[in-house]
Amino acid sequence: MKWTVVCPFPRLEPERGVAALVDGAQVALFRTYDGDVHAIGNLDPISGAAVLSRGIVGSRGDVPTVASPMHKQAFDLRSGECLDQPGVRVPVYPVRVRDGLVEVAAVELAAAAEAIT
């Protein structure tokens, strides 16, 4: 898996998103208050606009979410599943913090898991 450095960890503000281009993929990065970092596709599958990095970060119960700024559908930051429309999802990308830098791999987690098995 090829990792791409996106930014220093402190640059990600808690509960805010940023967009990055990683090997041609538009990725939305989020840092939650507990310090976890999540990477999902930036394209809102409902509206077709690349806006999820501008969404409202929150939670539903224990599930960290981002709500699209377009039509407010909430997406699970861990799985990419839309919590408001079953069967709709966004890609989820591997993300890690190494030596204080946020790194993303431009391969979907589902594809990465298949490659390992």
Side-chain angles (χ1 to χ4, degrees):
M1 202 172 339
K2 178 185 168 203
W3 292 93
T4 300
V5 174
V6 175
C7 66
F9 178 73
R11 198 134 195 232
L12 292 179
E13 293 184 43
E15 304 298 306
R16 301 244 178 175
V18 297
L21 192 60
V22 179
D23 288 340
Q26 284 196 38
V27 176
L29 292 160
F30 301 93
R31 175 180 164 194
T32 55
Y33 278 122
D34 60 9
D36 287 344
V37 180
H38 302 275
I40 63 172
N42 194 38
L43 187 69
D44 176 354
I46 309 297
S47 70
V51 295
L52 290 181
S53 63
R54 301 280 188 184
I56 301 164
V57 180
S59 63
R60 286 201 184 162
D62 293 336
V63 177
T65 62
V66 63
S68 171
M70 299 300 286
H71 301 292
K72 309 301 185 252
Q73 287 88 359
F75 295 89
D76 183 334
L77 291 175
R78 301 168 305 178
S79 69
E81 294 294 323
C82 182
L83 302 178
D84 300 310
Q85 284 191 280
V88 175
R89 65 176 298 276
V90 294
V92 176
Y93 299 98
V95 62
R96 68 184 183 189
V97 178
R98 226 171 94 173
D99 299 325
L101 299 173
V102 177
E103 300 178 336
V104 176
V107 58
E108 270 194 79
L109 279 177
E114 287 178 20
I116 293 170
T117 58

